[in-house]
Amino acid sequence: MLYLLWPQRAGTPAMMPGQIAKFGNSAAQLLLGGLAALRSFGNGEKDASAVADDSQQDTADLRDAVKQWREVFEHNPVMYFMVDPAGTVLNVNTFGAAQLGYTPAELIGQSVLNVFFEEDHDAVRRCVALCLETLDQSHTWEIRKFRKDGSVLWVRENAKAMLRGDGTPIVLVACENITQRKEAEDALRQSEAYLAEAQELSRTGSFGLDVATGAIVWSRQTFRIFQCDPAVKPTLDFVFQRIHPEDRDAVSRTLDRAARRAEDFDHEYRLLMPDGSIKYLHSVARALRHGSGCIELVGGVTDVTVAKEAEQRLRRSEAYLAEAQRLSHTSSWAWDVRRQEFAYRSAELYRLFGFEPNQIDVPARAFQERILPEDFQRIIEVERQALRRRKPFEIDFRIARPDGSIRRVHTEGHPVVGSDGEVTEIIGTHVDVTEQVAAKEALQRAFDELKASEQRFRDYAETASDWFWETGPDHRITKISEHSDPASAAPTALIGLTRWDIPPDAELEPGKWEQHRATLDAHLPFRDLVYRGRDRNGSPIYVRTSGKPLHDADGHFLGYRGVSSDVTAAIRAEQAEDALRKAQAELAHVTRVTTLGELTASIAHEITQPLAAVISNADACIAWLDREPADLKAARRSAEWIVEDANRASEVIRRIRALAKKTEIEVVSLDINQVVREAVALVRRELATHGVSVRMELASDLPRICGDRIQLQQVLINLVMNGIEAMQANVDHPRELAIRSSLTDDDDDDRLLLTVTDRGVGLGKDVKERIFTPFFTTKSGGLGMGLSICRSIIEAHAGRLSAFQNEGSGATFQIALPLPHKDTS
Ligand code: ADP
C-alpha cells in the first residue's frame, strides 16, 4: 500500500528499532517504481491535455501505459496507499482497500490512522516523519492494522516520500500482508517458549551430537542439567568428565554402538556433580542418518534424580512397610467395590490367608473361601452397612488355613468415596490377633482362677481361726486379714507395730526373741513361733505364727508374709496336761508311799526273816567252827546261806527305797516277767497273811518292752492288793490270784498282755463303769485313786488297762502294752 503521511518536522521521530529498514526488493518496490513513472503523467485528463501538442502517438502510448499501470495499481495483490502530509488518504488501490474490508471510496479522504491501533499511532507518525525527512529514500517496517470487521492484519510496509509536480510531498506506501508469517512466527516463538518451559518443568533437555565431528548442540535445559555455562560450547570430553566414573564405560559403549550402527538408544546413567552430589539421567536418542551419510544422534535427557530418589525411598519404605507388616502381623488391602476384587493386597495378606506371597493370581474368591462361613456372612453384612453409611468399620473374623490352623483376625476398613459420590473402594488392614486372643484368654483364665483361689483363701481366712499378716522391711505389720467372725482372736490395731511390741512375754523370754529377730534380720523363714499376745478384747492369748520372707523381682527384701493362729486353748490344754501329769506323779508317789506304809508289816517280815536266817546261820557257822576239829565244810555252807539271806534282805530294802523315792519317769528296756516277780516278792507276805495263793503263768521268750520299772510295779502291786481285798470275804472258794503274761494272737497288732485275775466279789455293773473314775471307792478307808493312777500310768506307756467280770467269780484286770517297733534294718 502506498500512502503519504503528514510530516512532523518539529523533531526527528523515534524509530522503532528493527521495524524500519532500508527499502527492500519486494513487489512493493517494483510498484513504487511504476508509480513514479505514473507521477510524470499527472492524473488522467489534465496530463493528457498538457501533452496535447505531443505527437498523437505519444499520447496514445501514454494512455496505454497509464491504463496498464492503473490496472497494475488496482489489481496487484499489494496494498498501495497514497497519503498527503495531513494523513489523509489520497488514493488506495482496490486490492488494498479490500484487504481492510473497505472500498477505496470509503477510505479516500479519511485519515489513514483509522486503520491503525491507537497504541501504534505514534509509531506510525514517527515512521512517516522519517520518510518525509529523507525524501526519495525507501523505508520498511512491520505493523498491525485492523480491518473493518476488527480483525488484525499484519503488514510489512515499504514507504517513501516524494514531491508531487506542485512541489507538495506525498508518501507512497506499499504493504505486504504478512499476517500468516507473523502468526507462524508467533506460534513458533510460543511453541519454543512452551518447549523451553516444558523442558524445564520436565527436567528434560534436548541434544544433538554430530558423530563425525563430535559437535554437540544442547538446549538451555541440557546446560542446566550438566551445570554447564551456556556460553561455553559443550564437548564430549566435558560430558564424560561429568558422568559418574562407574558409568563412563557403559555410556561410552552405548554411544559407540549407536554411532557405528546408527542405532537408537535409551539408557540411564549418573552424573557426579562438582559438589559431590549424584544426578540420575535418563537419555533417549534417535540416530539420524543424513543424506550426506553423516549420522546425528538427536535426543532428550531427563534428570530423573527426584524420581529415582523417590523410587528408592518408596522401595525402602515399601520394604520397611512389608517388614513392619510381617513383624506386626498386619496386612493392608484395597477392595474395589465395583469389580468385587482386590485393587491392592500386601504380601502379608497372602501369608495371613496361607497363600504364598508371590501367588499374584489368587482370586478374591479363594481368600473368601478361607474365612469361616458364619464369619463371612457377618463380613458381608458389615460391608453392606459401611457402604450405605460411608463410615469406617471394625470386625473380627476367623480364617481356616489349609494346614488346619485357625487364625483370628481383627480388621478395620475405611470406605473411599469417588468423584461421583459413590463408594468406590474400601481400604483397610487385617491384624492377626490369634496370639493376642490366646494370651488374653489364658490371662482371663488365669485371672478367673486367681480370683477363685483368692476367694477360696478369703473364705478360708474368714472362716478359719487363723489370720494372715504381712510385715514391711522394718518388720512392722502392714496388713492383717479381716475376720467375719467378730469373736475371732485375730488382733486388731496392730498395723505399724512389730511382733515384739505386742506381747508381754518379751522380757520373760529374751532368748526366744533375740533368736527370732536374728532370723528376721537374716531374712530366713520361721515356723511355729509361739508367743503371748492379746486378742481384740485385750485378753491374753497364745499365738503361734509362721512366716516367709518376700522379695521383689530384683531380690530386694520386702518384708514377711505369714499366718498366725490362736493356740491359747492348745497351750492351756498342754499346761493342764502337764499339771495333771505332775499331780498324778505326785499322787502316784503318795499312793506308793501309802502302799508301802500298808505293807510295812510284810516288808518288815521280808527283811526280818532273812535277817533271822542270817543270825541262825551265823550261829551255826560259829558252832561248826568251834568243833574239834572244826567242820569247815559245814561252816562254809552256813556262811554261804548268810550271804544269800543278807542279799535277799538288802534287795528288799533296795526295792522299797526305789518305790519310796520320788524319781522322774525312767523309760528303759524291761523283761516284764522280771518286773512281775519283783512286784510279787514285795507283796508275798501280804498274800500269805490273807491266805491268798498266787499262781504265776509267765510266758517264756517274751520280747522286752520299754517302760518305767517302778511305775509298772506300782500298778501290779495295786492290782494284787485290790485282788487280795476283793477276796477277803471268800469263805466257800479258795482265795487264789493268777498272774499271767502272754502275747496277743493278733499278728497285726502285737501287744504284751499282763492279767491279774482274782476270785473275789467281782465287778457289778455300777462298779465296773466307775472303777477308773478318780475318788471312786467302795471301801470305807479307800481313797478311790488307785485304779485311776494305774490307768494313767499304763496310758503313759501307750498301753491300756481294762477290767472284766470273770465268767465264774471275781474280776480280771488286763494290762496291754505295746511292743517296741521291730527293727526292720
Ligand atoms: P480303793 O482301792 O482305794 O477303793 P481303787 O481305785 O483301787 O481305790 O479301787 C476303786 C474301787 O474299785 C474299789 O473301791 C472297789 O470297789 C473296786 N475294785 C477294785 N479292784 C477290785 C477287784 N479286784 N474286785 C472287785 N472290785 C474291785
Side-chain angles (χ1 to χ4, degrees), residues 1-213:
M1 221 173 305
L2 293 176
Y3 57 136
L4 180 68
L5 291 180
W6 60 102
Q8 286 199 332
R9 301 199 183 275
T12 311
M15 303 300 287
M16 289 205 293
Q19 280 206 323
I20 299 176
K22 279 283 179 198
F23 198 68
N25 56 356
S26 67
Q29 199 172 12
L30 175 70
L31 264 292
L32 283 174
L35 282 172
L38 276 177
R39 189 191 54 176
S40 65
F41 291 104
N43 58 356
E45 310 300 319
K46 190 180 171 193
D47 287 341
S49 65
V51 292
D53 295 334
D54 294 343
S55 69
Q56 198 66 30
Q57 182 60 45
D58 285 349
T59 303
D61 291 346
L62 191 58
R63 275 210 184 94
D64 285 346
V66 168
K67 197 177 168 200
Q68 263 178 12
W69 281 106
R70 184 164 292 279
E71 275 302 302
V72 172
F73 174 71
E74 288 297 340
H75 301 294
N76 194 299
V78 176
M79 295 170 263
Y80 300 115
F81 278 85
M82 245 182 278
V83 183
D84 72 6
T88 307
V89 177
L90 297 176
N91 207 346
V92 59
N93 65 344
T94 306
F95 177 81
Q99 285 289 296
L100 290 167
Y102 298 99
T103 62
E106 282 177 307
L107 291 174
I108 292 168
Q110 301 296 316
S111 170
V112 75
L113 289 176
N114 288 349
V115 296
F116 287 98
F117 283 91
E118 180 78 34
E119 58 266 37
D120 294 340
H121 286 186
D122 279 350
V124 172
R125 285 190 192 103
R126 278 195 305 274
C127 292
V128 171
L130 180 68
C131 291
L132 290 170
E133 281 166 13
T134 54
L135 282 175
D136 291 325
Q137 269 187 37
S138 294
H139 299 280
T140 181
W141 61 81
E142 292 176 357
I143 196 157
R144 293 174 297 168
K145 290 182 174 173
F146 61 87
R147 294 190 181 95
K148 194 176 178 182
D149 65 3
S151 61
V152 175
L153 183 75
W154 272 95
V155 291
R156 179 187 168 87
E157 297 189 336
N158 287 316
K160 171 182 195 178
M162 58 181 58
L163 292 177
R164 296 175 66 164
D166 60 359
T168 56
I170 57 165
V171 178
L172 302 174
V173 185
C175 308
E176 230 186 304
N177 184 350
I178 58 163
T179 308
Q180 264 190 343
R181 199 202 82 205
K182 266 285 180 194
E183 282 174 358
E185 267 177 23
D186 277 355
L188 185 65
R189 219 179 353 262
Q190 203 168 34
S191 85
E192 268 179 359
Y194 286 160
L195 183 66
E197 193 70 22
Q199 287 203 350
E200 195 176 330
L201 285 173
S202 65
R203 296 167 183 271
T204 302
S206 51
F207 65 86
L209 170 64
D210 185 326
V211 170
T213 62

Side-chain angles (χ1 to χ4, degrees), residues 631-812:
D631 188 343
L632 292 178
K633 204 177 168 188
R636 166 176 278 273
R637 197 170 56 241
S638 296
E640 283 170 357
W641 286 339
I642 289 168
V643 170
E644 241 173 59
D645 288 333
N647 277 345
R648 196 147 60 92
S650 86
E651 179 63 14
V652 171
I653 289 165
R654 187 185 64 75
R655 284 182 205 142
I656 291 166
R657 269 214 190 112
L659 276 173
K661 212 169 139 195
K662 191 177 172 181
T663 54
E664 288 299 307
I665 294 172
E666 195 183 359
V667 178
V668 291
S669 169
L670 298 172
D671 171 359
I672 196 69
N673 290 344
Q674 183 62 26
V675 174
V676 173
R677 282 189 206 100
E678 286 176 6
V680 172
L682 284 174
V683 291
R684 193 173 293 280
R685 173 76 189 169
E686 202 64 24
L687 291 164
T689 307
H690 291 93
V692 175
S693 62
V694 177
R695 200 174 73 244
M696 295 218 278
E697 297 171 12
L698 304 179
S700 55
D701 299 331
L702 287 178
R704 295 176 78 83
I705 54 142
C706 289
D708 183 279
R709 178 190 300 271
I710 302 301
Q711 286 197 341
L712 291 176
Q713 284 180 354
Q714 182 178 352
V715 172
L716 279 167
I717 290 167
N718 227 313
L719 296 180
V720 169
M721 294 292 281
N722 277 350
I724 292 169
E725 283 168 13
M727 292 188 288
Q728 252 185 312
N730 284 11
V731 184
D732 303 336
H733 47 269
R735 299 175 181 175
E736 195 179 82
L737 202 66
I739 302 177
R740 300 185 180 92
S741 68
S742 64
L743 280 177
T744 53
D745 307 334
D746 190 349
D747 286 347
D748 292 339
D749 186 23
D750 274 356
R751 285 179 164 243
L752 195 144
L753 299 180
L754 262 186
T755 53
V756 178
T757 305
D758 63 59
R759 301 185 68 184
V761 291
L763 301 171
K765 195 169 177 269
D766 287 357
V767 176
K768 192 188 167 196
E769 279 172 7
R770 298 168 64 197
I771 51 173
F772 293 108
T773 310
F775 304 109
F776 171 76
T777 180
T778 54
K779 301 165 193 167
S780 54
L783 191 59
M785 287 300 296
L787 286 178
S788 148
I789 291 169
C790 288
R791 179 169 258 186
S792 58
I793 287 174
I794 296 303
E795 283 177 355
H797 282 76
R800 192 173 163 73
L801 174 63
S802 359
F804 307 96
Q805 168 65 35
N806 294 340
E807 280 191 1
S809 59
T812 296

Side-chain angles (χ1 to χ4, degrees), residues 223-457:
F223 278 99
R224 277 206 202 117
I225 289 172
F226 279 81
Q227 275 180 21
C228 179
D229 181 355
V232 176
K233 191 138 184 60
T235 62
L236 271 175
D237 276 354
F238 174 80
V239 170
F240 273 91
Q241 218 178 307
R242 275 279 189 270
I243 293 175
H244 195 288
E246 290 173 12
D247 294 349
R248 281 176 196 157
D249 282 352
V251 173
S252 175
R253 276 196 301 277
T254 304
L255 288 181
D256 196 39
R257 198 170 47 241
R260 272 191 292 106
R261 302 185 195 165
E263 203 173 81
D264 298 350
F265 65 81
D266 179 338
H267 67 161
E268 279 192 7
Y269 58 94
R270 291 167 295 170
L271 299 186
L272 181 57
M273 306 313 287
D275 65 356
S277 63
I278 303 271
K279 267 188 188 175
Y280 290 85
L281 302 188
H282 178 209
S283 178
V284 183
R286 273 272 145 84
L288 304 177
R289 197 185 284 274
H290 294 298
S292 61
C294 291
I295 295 172
E296 193 182 4
L297 301 174
V298 180
V301 58
T302 308
D303 181 350
V304 292
T305 311
V306 175
K308 268 277 172 199
E309 285 175 355
E311 186 187 316
Q312 282 174 356
R313 270 200 305 275
L314 189 67
R315 212 169 285 148
R316 245 197 320 269
S317 75
E318 265 181 0
Y320 289 154
L321 184 68
E323 183 66 7
Q325 290 204 345
R326 205 174 60 74
L327 290 175
S328 63
H329 301 297
T330 303
S331 45
S332 49
W333 46 266
W335 179 250
D336 186 326
V337 174
R338 290 181 185 135
R339 286 193 305 118
Q340 286 292 297
E341 184 54 84
F342 284 109
Y344 165 76
R345 46 203 171 178
S346 70
E348 197 54 31
L349 191 80
Y350 289 87
R351 283 197 203 96
L352 175 64
F353 279 79
F355 294 107
E356 285 299 315
N358 48 11
Q359 275 181 274
I360 46 167
D361 53 351
V362 183
R365 193 174 26 78
F367 281 82
Q368 290 166 349
E369 280 169 4
R370 293 199 175 169
I371 297 173
L372 295 194
E374 61 267 36
D375 290 0
F376 185 62
Q377 287 311 315
R378 275 193 304 117
I379 293 173
I380 298 282
E381 178 56 25
V382 168
E383 185 194 329
R384 207 175 53 73
Q385 286 180 13
L387 293 179
R388 194 160 47 79
R389 296 184 192 155
R390 298 169 190 192
K391 290 260 173 64
F393 62 90
E394 291 183 30
I395 187 170
D396 290 342
F397 65 90
R398 289 159 298 168
I399 295 168
R401 284 187 183 163
D403 62 5
S405 64
I406 297 283
R407 306 305 296 178
R408 287 167 174 274
V409 178
H410 175 76
T411 192
E412 287 188 20
H414 293 252
V416 178
V417 179
S419 52
D420 59 357
E422 291 297 312
V423 175
T424 54
E425 268 189 6
I426 299 173
I427 56 171
T429 53
H430 286 340
V431 184
D432 184 345
V433 292
T434 313
E435 273 77 32
Q436 284 103 301
V437 170
K440 207 170 127 193
E441 283 173 0
L443 197 70
Q444 186 63 48
R445 270 199 306 279
F447 182 70
D448 289 347
E449 278 167 22
L450 194 71
K451 244 171 51 182
S453 117
E454 198 186 310
Q455 189 55 46
R456 223 167 23 241
F457 276 105

